[in-house]
Amino acid sequence: MAITSSSNPAFIEAEQYSTFILQNLHAGLLPNTFYRNVTDFPNGSTLNIKTIGSATIQEITENEDITYNPIESGNIQLSISDYIGDAFYVTDIMRQDGAQVEQLLSMRAAEGTRAIQEAFESRFLATLYAGQTEGELNDTNGFAHRLVGNGGAGNRAMTESELIDMRLAFDKANVPQSGRIAIVDPVVAATFSKQAQLINNLDASSPLTQALVKDGFDKEHKFVTDIHGFQIWTSNRLPKVASGAGNGSDTLNSAGVANLFMCVADDQCKPGMVAWRQTPSTETDRDISKGRDEFVTKTRWGDGVQRVDTLGVVLTSATATSN
C-alpha cells in the first residue's frame, strides 16, 4: 500500500503558524522633561496660575515725589481636558483553544499603552502650536518667533537661516542659552543631510563629517550635533498645517508642518505645562455571562501654554527637502 499525500490528506497540515509575532513599528517618543509637570493640582478641573509683570524704572528728582506704580500681575489657566483609553477582551474559548494567548495579551496591552503615549504627545505638541497666533509674527521685543521656511521662498524647506533667526529672536527675548531645543519633522533632517553629501568638499578627517556620512544629520530621532545653540530632535507627530499658513509676511505654498522651538532649561522657562489627573493604568474585570476577561487602560490629563516668549515656530513644507 502506497502512503502518499493525495491518499492521506487528513494527515497534511497545509497551514503552519510561526511562534514569532510581528509587532507594529513606532516612532520614538520625546523626553517628558520637555514640559513642566504641574503637581499642585490634585483636584478640581481648572487651575489658575499667577504671573507677574515687569518693573517700571523712573528717574528720581531730589525733593520731588516719586511715582508709585501698581504691581502688574496676570493669570493663566490650565484645565483637565483630555480623557482617553483603550479596551479589549479575551474569551474563555480563546484561552482554552488558542496558542500563545498570554504573549498575545501582553503585546496587545503594550500596544494600547504606546498608542496612549503617542496620542498624549501629539496633543501636547498641538497645544504648543496653538499657543501662537496664526498669520502674525508673534514677536517678542520686535523679533519674530514665527517664521516660514526659506524666508517664504521656493519650496519653503528649512534652511540654516531660520535657525540663526530663531536664535536671534530667543537672544532678544532673554531666553537662556542652555536648554534650547527644536523639534523638527524628519523631512527637515533630510534637507540638512542634502547639504552635507559625499560629493561636497567636506573635511574627511573631521569627526562631524564622519558622523554625518555615517548616520546622516539625525540618529535615534536626534541630530548628531547642536546647531546654532539648539539641540534638535525629530518627530512625526508635529502639527500639520494647511497651505496658506504663515506669519502675516510669508506663507506656505503647500501643506506643511509646524516645527517647534523652545527652551526647557527649567520649569520657569518651559513654554508647556501638563497636569496628570490619572496616569495610564490598566484595570481588569470578569464578565461571567459572556465568558471573557476584559482589560481597560485609561488616562486623564490637561496641558497648556504657560509662556510664549520661549516658544518659536518654523513652518515648512511637509515633503520638500530642497528649495
mmCIF file with all atom_site columns, all heavy atoms in Angstrom, residues 255-271:
data_model
loop_
_atom_site.group_PDB
_atom_site.id
_atom_site.type_symbol
_atom_site.label_atom_id
_atom_site.label_alt_id
_atom_site.label_comp_id
_atom_site.label_asym_id
_atom_site.label_entity_id
_atom_site.label_seq_id
_atom_site.pdbx_PDB_ins_code
_atom_site.Cartn_x
_atom_site.Cartn_y
_atom_site.Cartn_z
_atom_site.occupancy
_atom_site.B_iso_or_equiv
_atom_site.pdbx_formal_charge
_atom_site.auth_seq_id
_atom_site.auth_comp_id
_atom_site.auth_asym_id
_atom_site.auth_atom_id
_atom_site.pdbx_PDB_model_num
ATOM 1   N N   . ALA A 1 255 ? 0.779  72.118 1.654  1.00 0.00 ? 255 ALA A N   1
ATOM 2   C CA  . ALA A 1 255 ? 0.577  71.606 3.008  1.00 0.00 ? 255 ALA A CA  1
ATOM 3   C C   . ALA A 1 255 ? 1.917  71.529 3.731  1.00 0.00 ? 255 ALA A C   1
ATOM 4   O O   . ALA A 1 255 ? 2.945  71.194 3.142  1.00 0.00 ? 255 ALA A O   1
ATOM 5   C CB  . ALA A 1 255 ? -0.079 70.237 2.951  1.00 0.00 ? 255 ALA A CB  1
ATOM 6   N N   . GLY A 1 256 ? 1.902  71.842 5.025  1.00 0.00 ? 256 GLY A N   1
ATOM 7   C CA  . GLY A 1 256 ? 3.164  71.921 5.745  1.00 0.00 ? 256 GLY A CA  1
ATOM 8   C C   . GLY A 1 256 ? 3.100  71.334 7.137  1.00 0.00 ? 256 GLY A C   1
ATOM 9   O O   . GLY A 1 256 ? 2.126  70.695 7.538  1.00 0.00 ? 256 GLY A O   1
ATOM 10  N N   . VAL A 1 257 ? 4.170  71.579 7.872  1.00 0.00 ? 257 VAL A N   1
ATOM 11  C CA  . VAL A 1 257 ? 4.302  71.081 9.235  1.00 0.00 ? 257 VAL A CA  1
ATOM 12  C C   . VAL A 1 257 ? 4.861  72.208 10.095 1.00 0.00 ? 257 VAL A C   1
ATOM 13  O O   . VAL A 1 257 ? 5.612  73.062 9.626  1.00 0.00 ? 257 VAL A O   1
ATOM 14  C CB  . VAL A 1 257 ? 5.221  69.839 9.279  1.00 0.00 ? 257 VAL A CB  1
ATOM 15  C CG1 . VAL A 1 257 ? 6.628  70.180 8.809  1.00 0.00 ? 257 VAL A CG1 1
ATOM 16  C CG2 . VAL A 1 257 ? 5.264  69.218 10.657 1.00 0.00 ? 257 VAL A CG2 1
ATOM 17  N N   . ALA A 1 258 ? 4.462  72.214 11.372 1.00 0.00 ? 258 ALA A N   1
ATOM 18  C CA  . ALA A 1 258 ? 4.919  73.245 12.307 1.00 0.00 ? 258 ALA A CA  1
ATOM 19  C C   . ALA A 1 258 ? 6.059  72.683 13.145 1.00 0.00 ? 258 ALA A C   1
ATOM 20  O O   . ALA A 1 258 ? 5.845  71.846 14.026 1.00 0.00 ? 258 ALA A O   1
ATOM 21  C CB  . ALA A 1 258 ? 3.768  73.694 13.200 1.00 0.00 ? 258 ALA A CB  1
ATOM 22  N N   . ASN A 1 259 ? 7.274  73.120 12.873 1.00 0.00 ? 259 ASN A N   1
ATOM 23  C CA  . ASN A 1 259 ? 8.444  72.732 13.655 1.00 0.00 ? 259 ASN A CA  1
ATOM 24  C C   . ASN A 1 259 ? 8.544  73.646 14.866 1.00 0.00 ? 259 ASN A C   1
ATOM 25  O O   . ASN A 1 259 ? 8.438  74.869 14.744 1.00 0.00 ? 259 ASN A O   1
ATOM 26  C CB  . ASN A 1 259 ? 9.702  72.835 12.797 1.00 0.00 ? 259 ASN A CB  1
ATOM 27  C CG  . ASN A 1 259 ? 9.601  72.033 11.512 1.00 0.00 ? 259 ASN A CG  1
ATOM 28  O OD1 . ASN A 1 259 ? 9.824  70.836 11.495 1.00 0.00 ? 259 ASN A OD1 1
ATOM 29  N ND2 . ASN A 1 259 ? 9.253  72.705 10.412 1.00 0.00 ? 259 ASN A ND2 1
ATOM 30  N N   . LEU A 1 260 ? 8.740  73.049 16.040 1.00 0.00 ? 260 LEU A N   1
ATOM 31  C CA  . LEU A 1 260 ? 8.655  73.801 17.289 1.00 0.00 ? 260 LEU A CA  1
ATOM 32  C C   . LEU A 1 260 ? 10.036 74.033 17.908 1.00 0.00 ? 260 LEU A C   1
ATOM 33  O O   . LEU A 1 260 ? 10.869 73.127 17.952 1.00 0.00 ? 260 LEU A O   1
ATOM 34  C CB  . LEU A 1 260 ? 7.769  73.062 18.285 1.00 0.00 ? 260 LEU A CB  1
ATOM 35  C CG  . LEU A 1 260 ? 6.325  72.806 17.833 1.00 0.00 ? 260 LEU A CG  1
ATOM 36  C CD1 . LEU A 1 260 ? 5.589  71.943 18.856 1.00 0.00 ? 260 LEU A CD1 1
ATOM 37  C CD2 . LEU A 1 260 ? 5.584  74.113 17.603 1.00 0.00 ? 260 LEU A CD2 1
ATOM 38  N N   . PHE A 1 261 ? 10.242 75.245 18.386 1.00 0.00 ? 261 PHE A N   1
ATOM 39  C CA  . PHE A 1 261 ? 11.463 75.621 19.091 1.00 0.00 ? 261 PHE A CA  1
ATOM 40  C C   . PHE A 1 261 ? 11.071 76.069 20.494 1.00 0.00 ? 261 PHE A C   1
ATOM 41  O O   . PHE A 1 261 ? 10.038 76.726 20.676 1.00 0.00 ? 261 PHE A O   1
ATOM 42  C CB  . PHE A 1 261 ? 12.179 76.769 18.365 1.00 0.00 ? 261 PHE A CB  1
ATOM 43  C CG  . PHE A 1 261 ? 12.764 76.377 17.034 1.00 0.00 ? 261 PHE A CG  1
ATOM 44  C CD1 . PHE A 1 261 ? 11.962 76.055 15.953 1.00 0.00 ? 261 PHE A CD1 1
ATOM 45  C CD2 . PHE A 1 261 ? 14.142 76.340 16.860 1.00 0.00 ? 261 PHE A CD2 1
ATOM 46  C CE1 . PHE A 1 261 ? 12.507 75.696 14.725 1.00 0.00 ? 261 PHE A CE1 1
ATOM 47  C CE2 . PHE A 1 261 ? 14.710 75.986 15.640 1.00 0.00 ? 261 PHE A CE2 1
ATOM 48  C CZ  . PHE A 1 261 ? 13.891 75.662 14.572 1.00 0.00 ? 261 PHE A CZ  1
ATOM 49  N N   . MET A 1 262 ? 11.889 75.736 21.478 1.00 0.00 ? 262 MET A N   1
ATOM 50  C CA  . MET A 1 262 ? 11.561 76.123 22.855 1.00 0.00 ? 262 MET A CA  1
ATOM 51  C C   . MET A 1 262 ? 12.784 76.045 23.739 1.00 0.00 ? 262 MET A C   1
ATOM 52  O O   . MET A 1 262 ? 13.834 75.535 23.341 1.00 0.00 ? 262 MET A O   1
ATOM 53  C CB  . MET A 1 262 ? 10.455 75.212 23.404 1.00 0.00 ? 262 MET A CB  1
ATOM 54  C CG  . MET A 1 262 ? 10.855 73.763 23.587 1.00 0.00 ? 262 MET A CG  1
ATOM 55  S SD  . MET A 1 262 ? 9.446  72.679 24.007 1.00 0.00 ? 262 MET A SD  1
ATOM 56  C CE  . MET A 1 262 ? 8.805  72.330 22.381 1.00 0.00 ? 262 MET A CE  1
ATOM 57  N N   . CYS A 1 263 ? 12.626 76.540 24.938 1.00 0.00 ? 263 CYS A N   1
ATOM 58  C CA  . CYS A 1 263 ? 13.663 76.433 25.959 1.00 0.00 ? 263 CYS A CA  1
ATOM 59  C C   . CYS A 1 263 ? 13.102 75.613 27.114 1.00 0.00 ? 263 CYS A C   1
ATOM 60  O O   . CYS A 1 263 ? 12.023 75.915 27.629 1.00 0.00 ? 263 CYS A O   1
ATOM 61  C CB  . CYS A 1 263 ? 14.114 77.805 26.458 1.00 0.00 ? 263 CYS A CB  1
ATOM 62  S SG  . CYS A 1 263 ? 15.378 77.731 27.747 1.00 0.00 ? 263 CYS A SG  1
ATOM 63  N N   . VAL A 1 264 ? 13.837 74.572 27.509 1.00 0.00 ? 264 VAL A N   1
ATOM 64  C CA  . VAL A 1 264 ? 13.383 73.698 28.588 1.00 0.00 ? 264 VAL A CA  1
ATOM 65  C C   . VAL A 1 264 ? 14.414 73.653 29.711 1.00 0.00 ? 264 VAL A C   1
ATOM 66  O O   . VAL A 1 264 ? 14.568 72.650 30.392 1.00 0.00 ? 264 VAL A O   1
ATOM 67  C CB  . VAL A 1 264 ? 13.085 72.271 28.050 1.00 0.00 ? 264 VAL A CB  1
ATOM 68  C CG1 . VAL A 1 264 ? 11.930 72.303 27.077 1.00 0.00 ? 264 VAL A CG1 1
ATOM 69  C CG2 . VAL A 1 264 ? 14.321 71.665 27.397 1.00 0.00 ? 264 VAL A CG2 1
ATOM 70  N N   . ALA A 1 265 ? 15.125 74.770 29.895 1.00 0.00 ? 265 ALA A N   1
ATOM 71  C CA  . ALA A 1 265 ? 16.195 74.817 30.896 1.00 0.00 ? 265 ALA A CA  1
ATOM 72  C C   . ALA A 1 265 ? 15.674 74.518 32.295 1.00 0.00 ? 265 ALA A C   1
ATOM 73  O O   . ALA A 1 265 ? 16.328 73.830 33.086 1.00 0.00 ? 265 ALA A O   1
ATOM 74  C CB  . ALA A 1 265 ? 16.885 76.177 30.862 1.00 0.00 ? 265 ALA A CB  1
ATOM 75  N N   . ASP A 1 266 ? 14.483 75.036 32.631 1.00 0.00 ? 266 ASP A N   1
ATOM 76  C CA  . ASP A 1 266 ? 13.866 74.766 33.926 1.00 0.00 ? 266 ASP A CA  1
ATOM 77  C C   . ASP A 1 266 ? 12.377 75.029 33.810 1.00 0.00 ? 266 ASP A C   1
ATOM 78  O O   . ASP A 1 266 ? 11.880 75.411 32.751 1.00 0.00 ? 266 ASP A O   1
ATOM 79  C CB  . ASP A 1 266 ? 14.505 75.616 35.045 1.00 0.00 ? 266 ASP A CB  1
ATOM 80  C CG  . ASP A 1 266 ? 14.465 77.106 34.755 1.00 0.00 ? 266 ASP A CG  1
ATOM 81  O OD1 . ASP A 1 266 ? 13.445 77.605 34.228 1.00 0.00 ? 266 ASP A OD1 1
ATOM 82  O OD2 . ASP A 1 266 ? 15.459 77.795 35.056 1.00 0.00 ? 266 ASP A OD2 1
ATOM 83  N N   . ASP A 1 267 ? 11.658 74.834 34.913 1.00 0.00 ? 267 ASP A N   1
ATOM 84  C CA  . ASP A 1 267 ? 10.195 74.972 34.873 1.00 0.00 ? 267 ASP A CA  1
ATOM 85  C C   . ASP A 1 267 ? 9.746  76.406 34.613 1.00 0.00 ? 267 ASP A C   1
ATOM 86  O O   . ASP A 1 267 ? 8.627  76.628 34.138 1.00 0.00 ? 267 ASP A O   1
ATOM 87  C CB  . ASP A 1 267 ? 9.587  74.463 36.184 1.00 0.00 ? 267 ASP A CB  1
ATOM 88  C CG  . ASP A 1 267 ? 9.556  72.938 36.251 1.00 0.00 ? 267 ASP A CG  1
ATOM 89  O OD1 . ASP A 1 267 ? 9.823  72.303 35.212 1.00 0.00 ? 267 ASP A OD1 1
ATOM 90  O OD2 . ASP A 1 267 ? 9.273  72.392 37.334 1.00 0.00 ? 267 ASP A OD2 1
ATOM 91  N N   . GLN A 1 268 ? 10.575 77.391 34.933 1.00 0.00 ? 268 GLN A N   1
ATOM 92  C CA  . GLN A 1 268 ? 10.229 78.778 34.644 1.00 0.00 ? 268 GLN A CA  1
ATOM 93  C C   . GLN A 1 268 ? 10.313 79.064 33.150 1.00 0.00 ? 268 GLN A C   1
ATOM 94  O O   . GLN A 1 268 ? 9.597  79.920 32.635 1.00 0.00 ? 268 GLN A O   1
ATOM 95  C CB  . GLN A 1 268 ? 11.162 79.722 35.408 1.00 0.00 ? 268 GLN A CB  1
ATOM 96  C CG  . GLN A 1 268 ? 10.890 79.822 36.894 1.00 0.00 ? 268 GLN A CG  1
ATOM 97  C CD  . GLN A 1 268 ? 9.612  80.604 37.196 1.00 0.00 ? 268 GLN A CD  1
ATOM 98  O OE1 . GLN A 1 268 ? 9.089  81.342 36.359 1.00 0.00 ? 268 GLN A OE1 1
ATOM 99  N NE2 . GLN A 1 268 ? 9.102  80.438 38.411 1.00 0.00 ? 268 GLN A NE2 1
ATOM 100 N N   . CYS A 1 269 ? 11.197 78.357 32.442 1.00 0.00 ? 269 CYS A N   1
ATOM 101 C CA  . CYS A 1 269 ? 11.426 78.626 31.022 1.00 0.00 ? 269 CYS A CA  1
ATOM 102 C C   . CYS A 1 269 ? 10.510 77.827 30.105 1.00 0.00 ? 269 CYS A C   1
ATOM 103 O O   . CYS A 1 269 ? 10.176 78.281 29.010 1.00 0.00 ? 269 CYS A O   1
ATOM 104 C CB  . CYS A 1 269 ? 12.878 78.321 30.661 1.00 0.00 ? 269 CYS A CB  1
ATOM 105 S SG  . CYS A 1 269 ? 14.096 79.400 31.440 1.00 0.00 ? 269 CYS A SG  1
ATOM 106 N N   . LYS A 1 270 ? 10.122 76.654 30.516 1.00 0.00 ? 270 LYS A N   1
ATOM 107 C CA  . LYS A 1 270 ? 9.374  75.764 29.629 1.00 0.00 ? 270 LYS A CA  1
ATOM 108 C C   . LYS A 1 270 ? 8.055  76.405 29.187 1.00 0.00 ? 270 LYS A C   1
ATOM 109 O O   . LYS A 1 270 ? 7.286  76.879 30.027 1.00 0.00 ? 270 LYS A O   1
ATOM 110 C CB  . LYS A 1 270 ? 9.091  74.438 30.332 1.00 0.00 ? 270 LYS A CB  1
ATOM 111 C CG  . LYS A 1 270 ? 10.357 73.633 30.641 1.00 0.00 ? 270 LYS A CG  1
ATOM 112 C CD  . LYS A 1 270 ? 10.053 72.406 31.487 1.00 0.00 ? 270 LYS A CD  1
ATOM 113 C CE  . LYS A 1 270 ? 11.336 71.658 31.833 1.00 0.00 ? 270 LYS A CE  1
ATOM 114 N NZ  . LYS A 1 270 ? 11.105 70.499 32.713 1.00 0.00 ? 270 LYS A NZ  1
ATOM 115 N N   . PRO A 1 271 ? 7.788  76.434 27.884 1.00 0.00 ? 271 PRO A N   1
ATOM 116 C CA  . PRO A 1 271 ? 6.526  77.039 27.428 1.00 0.00 ? 271 PRO A CA  1
ATOM 117 C C   . PRO A 1 271 ? 5.303  76.173 27.717 1.00 0.00 ? 271 PRO A C   1
ATOM 118 O O   . PRO A 1 271 ? 4.200  76.686 27.850 1.00 0.00 ? 271 PRO A O   1
ATOM 119 C CB  . PRO A 1 271 ? 6.738  77.197 25.919 1.00 0.00 ? 271 PRO A CB  1
ATOM 120 C CG  . PRO A 1 271 ? 7.732  76.145 25.578 1.00 0.00 ? 271 PRO A CG  1
ATOM 121 C CD  . PRO A 1 271 ? 8.643  76.025 26.769 1.00 0.00 ? 271 PRO A CD  1
#
